[in-house]
């Protein structure tokens, strides 16, 4: 992309903002080299990286990167055999440690299932060197100092140095605090030429002996090394030399260890710089409240509420800008200082940012194109040195643009044709726009010429636009109105400023009819637009309120049913708990009655026991209310008549209708028992022709001479009917004092067999149950033993 457009649009200021967020040398380098691209795949890759960075910034506060220096010169020095100093090694070590930390960070992101588009591929190129990383970390501090842990010998030397320094300071203390302290200028110990000395008054130099290493500016103080500690200082100096030699050896060893990995380390540093660049783009997007643009390969640009990124957000006016889809050229008219130039720059700069892989200052879902180049003629480029007028400067620039544009270019022209005779300028402007249209480039041009307003109506793929002006306040609103040409406000402004109306009327009469008609047409269009906009805003407000109300009602309606179901469930659970307790008590009563019958010979009517147990069973609440309602509706639709076979749901027994007692009750024959049953407890049964051999069903007779068979045959029964008979049969068998009975359920699907065994498992009077022997039915029958 040509360098001039970047200067015109102040692209460097965007890069400066980016650099304020980068903290690594290679990140700064990436930003310095940043330029817009016209490669759609590369642009999308850069945008995907920015999107990943924005997501990480939002959820994790950004990629964890410290300040990293440029280590490229250090690695070049290693290539020629040089030894790095401690500070240089510390910088290399920081890169290695950061590499490991970043890899761990992205591994954790993967565990958190954060979906990233581009950065995982970038991070996958990082090479971790754990052994070298640990070796440098344990040898060199962040400030470049070689650590005691670098080698055993260095630790020993430094331990010896500390001990020897302690001895020297102890000996020197006898001079600074003893009898000879009066011969010193100050009672302190200091160092000269790496040797411990004391400040002695010049006239008392003979009191100590030894060597003078320095003197004060006045010559009154001599810094002397007393004779008594010269040997200790010699030993100290020797240890210091050995320490320095060991440090140099360690630095050389570390530099040699880096040598074979220098390319990987440099690649890591550059990749970390890219990640820092991504961090910077994400932080800039956050600061500008920017969004991800959508790439349109057909160059259909649709910016929603686009803002100029370099204008104070509190003052900037956002505008919708669209070009490339429905029209290829936009002619913008309006007053001076109305915002035409800023609108052109906003379009250009936002497009350049997008093609650089940056988020844009527009609403989400905004579309940008991929232009091969962007050209602009914006501002007064008059050159005094070249003796060019404003018009000539513009023409030279436009000539250059026309020579380089193609059908995938974007052209921004400010005040096209200005600086010369209006008629000639307008004609030239029309011819230039026609030429750009022939090439096929997209163009946005601003102008004052009324002829271009007519051009916007007559030319295909061309549309008028204007910058809105508030006549009431005599101030521009800076809003772009696409589809509405700007009209002259000179008469309105002059009238409001106090120019006599007679002058304004005379000027109005001097205008030709075409200009009058044009201005009237524009005024009418503006009035229609404002009316439509007012109506649109009112309807949108009403729609928003209606949508919110509908949402609230839907939520409240859903909550009502959820609360109702919850309360019903709680009530049923509470009722079932009470019933369970009652059943336990009932079982105890029944057991007691049976014991009384066995021990005292008391006769208890069986139907009384069945009635009592059925009444308790009716108390149990079923959870699936909706199914019960369906059954109830189905039962209500039935027509009952005498002789119908029915199921008494409250007892789980089959019977026959004898007669209707009243509108709500029937007399039902169940075996030898006749009972009064309510309509809602009756379920009509279908009569099925059964040609199979008649099966014997065990029944329970009332009275003292009861007979219960030792075997119950359930074959051919429906599940509900079978379970009811099992319950009744077990109670009868217990009353008959059977110790063991057989229940024949058949094999079939196994549903009845499983139901029988589930019932037996829950009956407290059952001691055990097992399948019958193979010759007695096998798993088609169950033998039950009672307690």
């Amino acid at each position: 992309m040509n360098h001039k457009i970047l200067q015109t649009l102040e692209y460097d200021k965007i890069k400066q903002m980016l650099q304020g967020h980068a903290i690594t040398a290679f990140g700064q380098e990436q930003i310095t080299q940043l330029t817009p691209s016209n490669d759609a795949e590369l642009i999308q890759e850069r945008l995907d990286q920015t999107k990943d960075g924005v997501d990480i910034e939002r959820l994790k506060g950004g990629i964890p990167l410290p300040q990293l220096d440029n280590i490229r010169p250090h690695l070049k020095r290693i290539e020629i055999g040089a030894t790095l100093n401690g500070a240089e090694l510390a910088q290399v070590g920081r890169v290695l440690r950061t590499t490991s930390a970043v890899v761990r960070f992205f591994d954790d992101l993967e565990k958190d299932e954060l979906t990233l588009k581009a950065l995982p591929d970038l991070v996958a190129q990082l090479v971790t060197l754990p052994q070298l990383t640990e070796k440098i970390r344990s040898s060199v501090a962040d400030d470049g100092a070689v650590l005691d842990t670098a080698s055993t010998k260095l630790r020993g030397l430094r331990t010896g140095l500390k001990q020897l320094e302690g001895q020297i300071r102890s000996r020197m203390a006898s001079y600074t605090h003893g009898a000879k302290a009066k011969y010193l200028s100050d009672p302190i110990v200091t160092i000269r030429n790496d040797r411990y000395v004391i400040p002695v008054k010049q006239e008392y130099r003979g009191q100590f002996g030894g060597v003078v290493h320095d003197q004060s500016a006045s010559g009154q103080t001599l810094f002397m090394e007393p004779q008594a500690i010269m040997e200790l200082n010699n030993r100290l100096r020797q240890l210091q030399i050995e320490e320095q030699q060991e440090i140099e050896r360690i630095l050389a060893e570390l530099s040699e260890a880096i040598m074979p990995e220098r390319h990987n380390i440099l690649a890591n540093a550059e990749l970390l710089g890219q990640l820092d660049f991504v961090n910077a783009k994400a932080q800039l997007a956050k600061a500008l409240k920017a969004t991800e643009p959508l790439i349109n390969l057909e160059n259909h640009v649709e910016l929603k509420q686009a803002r100029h990124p370099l204008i104070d957000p509190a003052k900037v006016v956002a505008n919708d800008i669209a070009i490339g889809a429905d029209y290829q050229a936009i002619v913008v008219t309006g007053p001076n200082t109305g915002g035409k130039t800023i609108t052109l720059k906003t379009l250009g700069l936002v497009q350049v940012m997008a093609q650089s892989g940056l988020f844009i200052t527009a609403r989400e879902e905004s579309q940008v194109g991929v232009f091969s180049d962007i050209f602009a003629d914006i501002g007064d480029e008059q050159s005094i040195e070249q003796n060019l007028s404003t018009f000539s400067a513009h023409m030279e620039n436009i000539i250059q643009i026309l020579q380089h544009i193609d059908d995938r270019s974007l052209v921004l022209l400010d005040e096209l044709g200005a600086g010369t005779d209006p008629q000639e300028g307008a004609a030239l402007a029309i011819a230039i726009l026609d030429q750009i249209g022939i090439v096929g480039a997209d163009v946005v041009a601003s102008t004052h010429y009324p002829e271009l307003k007519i051009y916007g109506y007559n030319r295909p793929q061309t549309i008028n636009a204007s910058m809105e002006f508030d006549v009431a306040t005599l101030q521009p609103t800076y809003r772009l109105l696409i589809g509405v040409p700007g009209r002259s406000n000179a008469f309105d402004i002059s009238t409001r400023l106090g120019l006599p109306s007679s002058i304004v009327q005379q000027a109005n009469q001097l205008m030709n009819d075409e200009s009058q008609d044009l201005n009237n047409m524009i005024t009418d269009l503006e009035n229609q637009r404002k009316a439509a906009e007012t109506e649109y805003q009112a309807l949108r407000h009403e729609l928003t309120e209606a949508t919110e109300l509908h949402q609230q009602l839907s939520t409240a309606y859903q909550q009502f049913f959820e609360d109702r179901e919850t309360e019903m469930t709680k009530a049923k659970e509470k009722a079932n708990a009470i019933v369970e307790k009652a059943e336990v008590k009932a079982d105890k009563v029944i057991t007691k009655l049976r014991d009384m019958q066995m021990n005292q010979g008391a006769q208890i009517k069986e139907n009384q026991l069945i009635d009592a147990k059925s009444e308790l069973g009716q108390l149990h609440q079923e959870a699936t209310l909706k199914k019960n309602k369906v059954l109830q509706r189905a039962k209500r639709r039935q027509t009952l008549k005498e002789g119908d076979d029915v199921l008494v749901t409250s007892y789980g027994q089959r019977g026959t209708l004898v007669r209707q007692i009243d509108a709500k009750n029937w007399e039902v024959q169940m075996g030898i028992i006749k009972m009064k049953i309510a309509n809602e407890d009756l379920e009509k049964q279908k009569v099925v022709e059964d040609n199979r051999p008649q099966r014997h069903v065990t029944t329970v007779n009332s009275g003292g001479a009861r007979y219960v068979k030792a075997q119950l045959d359930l074959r051919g029964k429906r599940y509900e009917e079978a379970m009811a008979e099992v319950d009744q049969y077990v109670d009868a068998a217990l009353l008959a004092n059977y110790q063991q009975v057989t229940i024949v359920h058949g094999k079939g699907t196994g549903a009845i067999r499983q139901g029988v065994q589930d019932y037996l498992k829950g009956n407290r009077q059952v001691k055990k149950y097992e399948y019958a022997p193979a010759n007695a039915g096998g798993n088609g029958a169950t033998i039950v033993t009672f307690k």
Side-chain angles (χ1 to χ4, degrees):
M1 192 165 291
N2 69 90
H3 181 68
K4 187 173 184 179
I5 186 65
L6 302 182
Q7 284 183 322
T8 301
L9 299 177
E10 300 178 284
Y11 180 67
D12 282 345
K13 290 186 178 180
I14 299 295
K15 293 172 65 173
Q16 289 171 11
M17 295 170 70
L18 265 178
Q19 287 174 329
H21 296 290
I23 58 175
T24 69
F26 283 101
Q28 294 283 353
E29 187 177 281
Q30 290 263 332
I31 295 171
T32 301
Q33 297 172 356
L34 178 65
T35 56
S37 172
N38 54 20
D39 183 337
E41 290 186 5
L42 178 59
I43 293 171
Q44 190 59 61
E45 180 184 350
R46 289 177 174 180
L47 287 173
D48 288 344
Q49 290 179 357
T50 306
K51 176 66 166 57
D52 288 352
V54 168
D55 289 342
I56 295 172
E57 173 69 27
R58 184 181 69 254
L59 298 176
K60 299 292 183 179
I63 304 170
L65 291 170
Q67 184 174 348
L68 298 176
D69 298 293
N70 183 5
I71 63 170
R72 189 181 286 117
H74 310 340
L75 299 178
K76 285 185 177 179
R77 289 183 57 227
I78 285 179
E79 285 186 6
I80 61 176
T83 297
L84 301 185
N85 59 37
E88 293 168 337
L89 285 169
Q91 293 171 9
V92 173
R94 194 175 298 114
V95 169
L96 291 172
R97 292 197 303 275
T98 303
T99 300
S100 300
V102 167
V103 170
R104 288 195 301 271
F105 176 77
F106 277 87
D107 287 343
D108 292 340
L109 286 183
E110 187 175 353
K111 294 176 184 176
D112 293 341
E113 298 183 353
L114 176 61
T115 303
L116 301 176
K117 295 181 179 180
L119 291 187
D121 293 337
L122 197 65
V123 174
Q125 300 175 42
L126 290 171
V127 179
T128 56
L129 303 169
Q131 293 182 345
L132 181 58
T133 303
E134 178 58 25
K135 188 172 185 179
I136 296 177
R137 187 198 65 78
S138 62
S139 299
V140 183
D142 285 342
D143 61 359
V146 178
L147 301 172
D148 294 353
T149 52
S151 73
T152 304
K153 182 179 180 180
L154 182 62
R155 183 187 295 110
L157 288 171
R158 287 181 172 172
T159 301
L161 280 169
K162 289 179 181 179
Q163 293 174 351
L164 190 54
E165 287 176 340
Q167 293 178 25
I168 294 173
R169 289 186 174 278
S170 179
R171 293 285 298 273
M172 297 291 270
S174 63
Y175 295 112
T176 58
H177 297 90
K180 293 188 177 181
K182 60 184 178 180
Y183 303 125
L184 304 180
S185 299
D186 287 300
I188 60 172
V189 177
T190 185
I191 295 176
R192 291 292 187 275
N193 299 327
D194 295 327
R195 301 177 77 88
Y196 283 93
V197 296
I198 53 177
V200 179
K201 295 178 181 179
Q202 197 275 339
E203 60 270 23
Y204 299 118
R205 61 182 300 178
Q207 296 292 329
F208 298 94
V211 179
V212 175
H213 287 278
D214 198 1
Q215 67 177 8
S216 65
S218 64
Q220 297 300 311
T221 300
L222 304 177
F223 294 94
M224 295 188 64
E225 178 185 3
Q227 182 70 34
I229 65 166
M230 289 184 66
E231 180 59 27
L232 291 175
N233 269 335
N234 289 337
R235 286 167 53 195
L236 178 66
R237 182 57 183 156
Q238 181 61 36
L239 287 177
Q240 289 173 341
I241 293 172
E242 291 179 14
E243 177 196 25
Q244 187 59 37
Q245 290 174 345
E246 179 63 11
I247 289 174
E248 290 175 358
R249 186 196 68 77
I250 292 169
L251 296 178
E253 183 179 283
L254 292 174
S255 298
E256 186 177 349
I258 291 174
M259 177 67 179
E261 301 292 349
R262 64 190 185 280
H263 297 301
N264 286 332
I265 296 172
L266 180 59
N268 285 347
E270 292 173 346
L271 289 170
L272 292 175
Q274 279 188 262
L275 294 175
D276 182 35
F277 176 41
V278 170
N279 259 356
K281 292 194 291 183
Q283 291 169 16
L284 179 64
K286 180 180 179 181
L288 295 177
K289 297 181 180 179
T291 63
E292 179 183 12
L294 303 179
I295 299 297
N296 188 300
L297 299 180
E298 296 181 1
N299 285 357
H300 295 171
V301 177
E302 184 181 359
L303 302 180
K304 301 176 181 179
Q305 294 297 287
R307 314 179 311 275
H308 196 287
L310 301 179
I311 297 178
D312 184 351
K315 299 178 180 179
V316 69
V317 175
N319 280 303
D320 292 337
I321 305 174
I323 191 172
D326 298 325
Y327 32 82
Q328 164 262 334
I330 302 176
V331 178
V332 186
T333 53
N336 289 327
T337 70
K340 297 191 301 296
T341 303
I342 289 298
T343 301
L344 296 181
K345 286 188 173 182
T346 299
L347 171 60
L349 187 53
V350 166
Q351 183 63 50
V352 166
M353 289 175 66
Q355 291 188 222
S356 300
L358 304 176
F359 277 18
I360 61 173
T361 49
R363 285 187 181 173
E364 293 180 351
E365 304 300 320
S366 291
Q367 292 188 112
V368 296
V370 181
F371 294 101
S372 60
D373 211 334
I374 300 176
F375 300 92
D377 179 56
I378 298 176
D380 188 355
E381 300 189 11
Q382 180 177 356
S383 172
I384 297 176
E385 294 181 359
Q386 297 179 9
N387 195 27
L388 295 175
S389 67
T390 299
F391 176 76
S392 299
H394 281 301
M395 280 301 104
E396 279 204 352
N397 199 12
I398 290 172
I399 290 169
Q400 292 293 321
I401 291 172
L402 293 175
Q403 290 175 350
H404 294 92
I405 60 173
D406 58 26
D407 61 347
R408 297 192 63 82
S409 297
L410 173 64
V411 183
L412 307 173
L413 302 175
D414 189 27
E415 298 296 348
L416 180 60
T420 187
D421 178 77
Q423 287 188 338
E424 293 181 353
L428 274 173
I430 292 172
I432 291 169
L433 290 176
D434 281 343
Q435 180 59 35
I436 294 174
I438 291 171
V439 175
D442 292 335
V443 58
V444 181
S446 68
T447 182
H448 282 295
Y449 296 137
E451 290 86 351
L452 289 182
K453 300 174 188 178
I454 304 298
Y455 177 87
Y457 279 108
N458 294 334
R459 290 297 193 275
Q461 293 290 301
T462 303
I463 192 169
N464 279 308
S466 62
M467 304 307 298
E468 187 180 52
F469 188 86
D470 189 344
V471 179
T473 61
L474 302 181
Q475 295 293 328
T477 65
Y478 305 108
R479 292 182 58 201
L480 177 67
L481 307 176
I482 293 182
V484 179
R487 69 184 184 91
S488 173
N489 298 291
F491 293 162
D492 293 332
I493 294 172
S494 300
T495 301
R496 290 185 60 83
L497 291 177
L499 187 67
S501 58
S502 58
I503 299 177
V504 175
Q505 290 175 0
Q506 183 179 359
N508 196 15
Q509 293 172 359
L510 293 174
M511 291 183 63
N512 57 43
D513 292 339
E514 287 188 7
S515 297
Q516 287 277 21
D517 292 342
L518 180 59
N519 277 333
N520 291 336
M521 177 189 67
I522 294 172
T523 300
D524 185 53
L525 282 173
E526 285 186 347
N527 292 334
Q528 291 180 25
R529 179 194 61 77
K530 288 180 179 179
E533 185 174 358
T534 301
E535 183 177 357
Y536 169 77
Q537 294 296 338
L539 290 174
R540 188 173 183 84
H541 178 69
E542 291 178 3
L543 176 61
T544 301
E545 288 185 339
T547 303
E548 291 178 355
L549 180 59
H550 179 269
Q551 183 64 35
Q552 291 172 2
L553 289 174
S554 297
T555 303
Y557 184 77
Q558 182 66 27
Q559 188 64 40
F560 166 74
F561 280 99
E562 290 178 359
D563 291 345
R564 188 182 69 173
E565 292 297 327
T566 301
E567 293 302 320
M568 290 292 289
T569 301
K570 289 180 180 178
K572 290 174 187 174
E573 290 175 352
K574 188 174 181 180
N576 289 339
I578 296 172
V579 171
E580 288 173 2
K581 291 180 180 179
E583 286 177 341
V584 172
K585 292 180 180 179
D587 286 341
K588 291 180 180 178
V589 172
I590 292 172
T591 302
K592 185 176 180 181
L593 290 173
R594 289 188 180 123
D595 291 343
M596 291 172 60
Q597 181 181 1
M598 293 175 61
N599 299 330
Q600 302 174 12
Q603 296 297 321
I604 302 171
K605 293 183 178 180
E606 186 176 345
N607 66 304
Q608 293 175 332
L609 294 174
I610 295 173
D611 288 346
K613 192 170 183 67
S614 297
E615 288 175 6
L616 285 170
Q618 290 179 45
L619 296 176
H620 194 277
Q621 297 294 312
E622 295 297 331
T624 55
L625 291 178
K626 293 181 180 178
K627 292 184 179 178
N628 287 345
K629 290 177 181 178
V630 173
L631 291 175
Q632 291 169 7
R633 286 197 297 270
K635 284 188 287 184
R636 285 197 295 269
R637 288 196 297 269
Q638 297 182 110
T639 302
L640 300 175
K641 62 182 182 296
E642 292 182 7
D644 284 347
D645 290 333
V646 294
L647 174 66
V648 181
T649 57
S650 55
Y651 291 92
Q653 300 292 321
R654 295 172 64 95
T656 304
L657 297 179
V658 177
R659 65 185 180 87
Q660 188 171 10
I661 298 174
D662 53 38
K664 297 184 178 180
N665 297 282
W666 280 82
E667 185 179 82
V668 182
Q669 179 80 40
M670 292 186 291
I672 63 172
I673 301 173
K674 290 183 179 180
M675 299 185 68
K676 178 182 178 182
I677 305 295
N679 291 349
E680 58 264 22
D681 290 338
L682 297 175
E683 182 176 331
K684 187 175 181 179
Q685 302 296 296
K686 292 182 179 179
V687 178
V688 181
E689 294 293 334
D690 192 353
N691 298 323
R692 294 175 297 179
Q694 186 68 26
R695 301 185 184 277
H696 295 286
V697 179
T698 301
T699 59
V700 182
N701 297 317
S702 303
R706 295 186 301 276
Y707 174 71
V708 180
K709 288 187 177 182
Q711 176 174 303
L712 173 64
D713 192 347
L714 299 175
R715 289 175 292 179
K717 303 290 185 181
R718 293 190 301 114
Y719 179 83
E720 294 81 1
E721 182 183 1
M723 292 301 100
E725 290 196 14
V726 168
D727 188 31
Q728 181 180 353
Y729 176 75
V730 169
D731 286 341
L734 287 169
L735 288 173
N737 295 321
Y738 281 141
Q739 295 296 314
Q740 190 177 75
V741 297
T742 300
I743 300 176
V744 180
H745 42 65
K747 298 179 182 179
T749 62
I752 294 180
R753 176 179 59 195
Q754 185 62 43
V756 168
Q757 293 184 356
D758 289 343
Y759 170 80
L760 295 174
K761 185 186 299 182
N763 194 311
R764 297 180 177 85
Q765 301 301 323
V766 175
K767 181 178 181 181
K768 68 175 183 177
Y769 59 89
E770 58 189 354
Y771 289 128
N775 60 358
N779 61 0
T782 298
I783 297 176
V784 184
T785 303
F786 299 111
K787 294 180 180 178

